[in-house]
């Protein structure tokens, strides 16, 4: 099995898979506990539109992706806060908007663009050294911010009302969280592609949730699940000659089903659904 | 401890509190009641400096004006029907520990002292054995006690409780009130509480205030608990009678 590592491109693929799997799965915890899976998808579509624009106008597609993803995150944060529109609907709108832009930019491009397709489906095996460093650097920043502001992010996601009453800049922190999600997407886009990124953002965290009663352990567990499945999926794809993205996603989905089956017997899974106080006296 | 003098306060263009004056002394148990939307939560938020004061003066533990927020460190706050996600991965201990976050400030982490205090607070509300249980699977009454323990972190001098008993069953309600009364009597904590059910606090509250944008009545229970006065405030028939030497209040159709 170690013969696997004698190829430079496989070493880079493995390192990238670890960085992407870990970073996206960690951010995925916030996406999942906040019920924002669709937000992740919206941001990813936005990033993809940015890539298309970059390729169309001839600037670095990753810069396009970064700017578009962050703008998308802030737009979603803003509309969510306006409260006039159901959060679900506002995300749906931005989702369609991003997709329409992507399709428009693609349409404006002459002929078939293979480069563009690689951002949709990714190609871990084609990662070069500079792309790996880019992912590593950005991933390090994202994780460092999460570690530094863990207590604040925990506070605003668990109890925004008290967090605000305690003087925390709740909106700013929430936007910050969305920006971190978009950066995690951007650092993964080249190697993993939009589809795999979305899987990493949702599935490991969903599995970890079934086994966690506390946020920090859930983050670590999710990160580990993402990392291990990325590595195992890559190895499987190498030896069985199947597309990497598919093997990783299928592995994650299989893990999710096994975990769901096992965890229904666990007393630790909170059975109550919904939110406290729903339908009772209105606040504010 | 708290002093409101002719206070008008509200959000943007809507004024909620109109000409509210009262004073809460150290160690007192004060209860505000009033219909929905009468400004009870707004009043507590004004004490915390979260609502702009348009007119009049608010003084909290010696701080006035923009300085009022400085009193926050000495205040434990339990917001109204906290809208937490019950599936959120947090144990009872995690939730109580969050009570230390605002005093720690940015970047600092809770250390041994805070963790030890969180366990002590859980013990104080009788939930020590539930420390590692997920918050979401506790009963409604237990959850409120956990949130009370969280409000007690950092040894506040003043507790602001916004309808802590709403949505609880009768026995959980009286248990919680018992706990709050004990904190007030034994530990000398000043308590300001908003509630729907005045009967829960009869014989415990030192002062009762009826709020309907303005303070319609304010004073010790024996003065304020009066059929005529309450009927006027509630705009419906209210009957106050004595049962076992304690006053009871019945609002609305009391023939049933
Ligand atoms: N953040 C806010 N912005 C604008 N209006 C508000 C806000 N919070 C409360 N209000 C309004 O202030 C009034 C009093 O609300 P509140 O203090 O929550 O009443 P209560 O707690 O007595 O039910 C209500 O009419 C409500 O609509
Ligand atoms: Mg209220």
């Amino acid at each position: 099995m170690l013969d696997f590592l004698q190829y430079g491109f496989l070493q880079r693929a493995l390192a990238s898979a670890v960085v992407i799997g870990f970073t996206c799965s960690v951010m995925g915890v916030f996406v999942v506990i906040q019920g924002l899976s669709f937000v992740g998808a919206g941001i990813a579509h936005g990033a993809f539109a940015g890539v298309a624009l970059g390729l169309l106008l001839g600037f670095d597609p990753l810069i396009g992706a970064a700017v578009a993803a962050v703008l998308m995150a802030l737009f979603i944060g803003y509309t969510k806060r306006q409260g006039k529109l159901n959060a679900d609907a506002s995300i749906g709108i931005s989702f369609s908007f991003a997709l329409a832009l992507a399709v428009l930019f693609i349409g404006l491009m002459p002929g078939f663009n293979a480069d563009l397709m690689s951002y949709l489906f990714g190609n871990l095996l084609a990662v070069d050294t500079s792309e790996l460093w880019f992912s590593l650097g950005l991933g390090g920043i994202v994780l460092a911010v999460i570690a530094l502001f863990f207590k604040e992010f925990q506070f605003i996601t668990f109890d925004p009302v008290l967090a605000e009453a305690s003087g925390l800049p709740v909106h700013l922190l929430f936007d910050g969280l969305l920006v971190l999600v978009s950066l995690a997407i951007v650092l993964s886009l080249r190697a993993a592609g939009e589809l795999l990124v979305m899987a990493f953002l949702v599935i490991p965290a969903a599995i970890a949730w079934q086994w966690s009663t506390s946020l920090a352990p859930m983050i670590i567990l999710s990160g580990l699940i993402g990392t291990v499945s990325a590595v195992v999926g890559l190895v499987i794809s190498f030896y069985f000659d199947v597309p990497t993205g598919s093997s990783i996603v299928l592995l994650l989905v299989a893990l999710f089903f096994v975990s769901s089956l096992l965890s229904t017997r666990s007393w630790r899974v909170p059975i109550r659904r919904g939110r406290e106080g729903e339908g009772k006296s209105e606040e504010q | 401890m708290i002093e409101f003098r002719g206070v008008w306060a509200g959000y943007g263009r809507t004024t909620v509190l109109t000409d509210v004056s009262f004073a809460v002394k150290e160690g007192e148990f004060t209860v505000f009641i009033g219909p929905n939307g009468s400004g009870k939560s707004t009043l507590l938020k004004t004490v915390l400096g979260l609502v702009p004061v348009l007119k009049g003066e608010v003084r909290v533990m010696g701080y006035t004006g923009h300085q009022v927020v400085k009193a926050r460190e000495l205040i434990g706050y339990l917001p109204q029907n906290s809208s937490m996600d019950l599936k959120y991965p947090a144990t009872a201990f995690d939730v109580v520990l969050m009570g230390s976050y605002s005093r720690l400030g940015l970047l600092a982490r809770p250390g041994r002292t805070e963790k030890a205090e969180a366990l002590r607070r859980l013990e104080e509300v009788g939930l020590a054995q539930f420390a590692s249980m997920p918050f979401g699977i506790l009963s409604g009454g237990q959850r409120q006690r956990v949130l009370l323990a969280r409000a007690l972190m950092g040894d506040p001098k003043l507790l602001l409780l916004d309808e802590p008993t709403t949505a609880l069953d009768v026995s959980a309600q009286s248990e919680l009130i018992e706990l709050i009364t004990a904190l007030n009597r034994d530990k000398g904590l000043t308590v300001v509480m908003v509630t729907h059910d005045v009967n829960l606090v009869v014989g415990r509250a030192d002062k009762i205030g009826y709020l309907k944008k303005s303070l319609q009545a304010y004073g010790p229970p024996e003065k304020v608990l009066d059929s005529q006065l309450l009927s006027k405030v509630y705009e419906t028939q209210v009957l106050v009678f004595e049962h076992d030497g304690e006053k009871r209040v019945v609002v609305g159709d009391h023939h049933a």
Side-chain angles (χ1 to χ4, degrees), chain B residues 230-231 234-240 249-256:
Chain B
L230 291 189
S231 300
Y234 274 98
E235 290 172 353
T236 177
Q237 237 181 347
V238 176
L239 184 68
V240 179
V249 180
V250 180
V251 182
D253 183 10
H254 50 261
H255 303 289

Side-chain angles (χ1 to χ4, degrees), chain B residues 25-43:
Chain B
K25 290 199 210 70
E26 199 171 332
E28 272 186 340
F29 189 165
T30 306
V31 172
F32 286 96
I33 59 176
N36 269 338
S38 61
K40 304 183 297 298
S41 300
T42 304
L43 185 135

Side-chain angles (χ1 to χ4, degrees), chain A residues 29-30 32-35 146-162 164-169 173 209 212-218 267-278 280-284, chain B residues 11 36 41 45 48 50 72 77-91 94-95 98-102 104-110 132-140 143-144 147 150 162-163 166-168 196:
Chain A
V29 168
F30 293 97
V32 167
I33 59 177
Q34 290 282 88
I146 287 293
L148 281 176
F149 293 97
F150 174 78
K151 141 175 146 289
E152 283 74 25
F153 288 135
Q154 182 191 31
F155 207 1
I156 63 156
T157 51
F158 177 70
D159 192 350
V161 175
L162 189 69
E164 184 150 32
S166 310
L168 273 187
L173 284 164
W209 206 0
S212 309
T213 56
S214 211
L215 186 62
M218 177 175 169
W267 63 271
R268 294 185 308 164
V269 176
I271 312 127
R272 285 164 213 266
R273 304 199 105 244
R275 282 162 183 267
E276 167 92 325
E278 219 165 41
K280 286 170 207 124
S281 61
E282 253 176 52
E283 202 204 0
Q284 294 176 345
Chain B
Y11 314 87
N36 269 338
S41 300
K45 287 179 193 163
L48 288 163
L50 295 170
R72 270 188 208 159
Y77 175 42
L78 204 167
Q80 187 176 8
N81 45 271
S82 317
S83 58
M84 297 122 186
D85 185 346
L86 295 182
K87 290 185 288 139
Y88 193 99
T91 60
D94 292 339
V95 175
M98 282 182 218
S100 69
Y101 286 5
S102 57
L104 282 171
L106 281 179
L107 301 184
R109 281 153 203 278
S132 57
M133 283 278 268
F135 178 72
I137 67 170
L138 299 177
S139 73
R143 285 203 301 274
Q144 283 304 78
L147 297 181
R150 180 179 70 175
D162 200 342
E163 302 198 27
T166 307
L168 298 186
H196 269 314

Side-chain angles (χ1 to χ4, degrees), chain A residues 11-107:
Chain A
Q11 292 169 1
R12 287 193 297 275
L14 201 64
S16 261
V18 168
V19 173
I20 292 167
F22 190 77
T23 312
C24 288
S25 310
V26 165
M27 289 319 300
V29 168
F30 293 97
V31 169
V32 167
I33 59 177
Q34 290 282 88
L36 298 176
S37 310
F38 215 32
V39 167
I43 295 173
H45 282 338
F48 186 64
V51 166
L53 188 66
L55 290 172
L56 180 67
L57 299 183
F59 58 86
D60 189 340
L62 276 182
I63 293 180
V67 172
V70 170
L71 285 179
M72 193 77 177
L74 296 178
F75 176 72
I76 291 171
Y78 174 78
T79 47
K80 188 172 186 278
R81 209 155 34 245
Q82 287 307 300
K84 284 181 192 134
L85 207 58
N86 190 319
D88 197 43
S90 78
I91 295 161
I93 292 170
S94 31
F95 191 100
S96 319
F97 178 55
L99 210 56
L101 282 183
V103 171
L104 176 70
F105 299 149
I106 293 167

Side-chain angles (χ1 to χ4, degrees), chain A residues 25 45 71 119 129 132 157 195 200 210 219 249 263 270:
Chain A
S25 310
H45 282 338
L71 285 179
Y119 283 94
T129 315
L132 177 58
T157 51
L195 300 173
F200 272 140
Q210 295 172 322
I219 289 175
V249 174
S263 74

